[in-house]
Amino acid sequence: MKKDEHSFFSRRTLLKGGLASAVSAGLLSIPNKAWALSLLDQGFENGIRELVPYPQKYPLLRITTRPVHLETPFSYFDQSLITPNKAVFVRYHLANHPLNIDESAHILSIKGNVNHPLKLSIADLKQRFNQVSFNVVLQCAGNGRALFSPRVPGAQLGNGSMACFKVTGVRLADVLKAAGIGPNARQIKYRGLDEPALPVTPAFIRALDIDKALSEHVLIAWAMNGEPLPMLNGFPIRLVVPGYFAPYWMKHLSEIEVINTEFDGWFAKEAYMVPDTENNGIAPNTPIKNKIPLTKLKVRSFITNIENGKKIKLNNGELTLRGIAFDCGSGIRAVDCSADGGKTWLPAALGKNIGHYAFRPWIITLKQLKNGPVNLMARATANSGETQPLEQPWNPGGYARNVVERVHAQLES
């Protein structure tokens, strides 16, 4: 990608979400016009989500404007197992994030408790270290927050703040070893180029235990699906922490510091914390006695080809369900489906395994169904033995939703 392809982020008309401006500028292509138009007036129980185009993106559902927060329309997850770069959701914590970065001038600093502090360009990363690629799921910690009951504060997200794509980069472990990790290293703390808009706002700095940082699948990545990262997804490099929620995946990565203590910044000690209970849940309006950082993804599954509340045509009493499942990296062992609200379950056939960290497709044809309302469910079980709960444990952040989702439909012959 040419360097000047990222310069259009300064065009205010696009950042305000002007569809006509984007089309006329030649920066937007919609893969399915009917699909896009059908969602323009999409409503949601906790608010209206407009379909809005941003640079390098198809029209996505706008949650907030500043900082930018865009959700993927759920229909995309039935169109392709791999999420196109233009359809990947966007989530920023700080309003002052970069809109134009010169890749050739970008430097990643490795400092702190290391023997040889490093300043690496993108070219250095590509030339000095072995490159690896694999498929991985990225999921926002608040994916599905709008579905919590009782309602919790924060961005009212549906289930579109997730994606599956191929990442390419170098192992963080190789870079840290080149710097020479000093004795008693406990964590890395790291940050990107986004900055607070106000002095009182904490900087977005995250931390990762050193053992996790040195694991083989944590990457410094520059590509998604074989192309440079979109600006809104972290160009030119971001940290990739497979199996962990998205707050650990730092965009526009610029600095990594090896430290001998446990980082106590706001985004490490206050943000993304959950109750220290077996299921990370507590009763609503109950104070949290002890809290821990939210780290690993929980096992999830979704029916992708049936839309909630729609009329569905049966084929001689048969209905085919398709969907996806994923977990934190052990892989999916089984998906079971129900058409009677969970009274009975039937095993679905698992599709191709494109990686333990990726979406796993599944399919099943339900038979001898009758006309009328139906309650469809899909429940995944991971190789680790973890399975989805039938009721969602509640927590005040609305984090880590992984309940068996219910799709209500009206069947007709």
Side-chain angles (χ1 to χ4, degrees), residues 174-185:
D174 291 345
V175 175
L176 293 176
K177 289 173 183 176
I181 300 173
N184 304 315

Side-chain angles (χ1 to χ4, degrees), residues 136-152:
V136 64
V137 168
L138 172 66
Q139 184 184 209
C140 180
N143 197 30
R145 178 185 285 130
L147 304 173
F148 271 73
S149 181
R151 176 173 170 162
V152 298

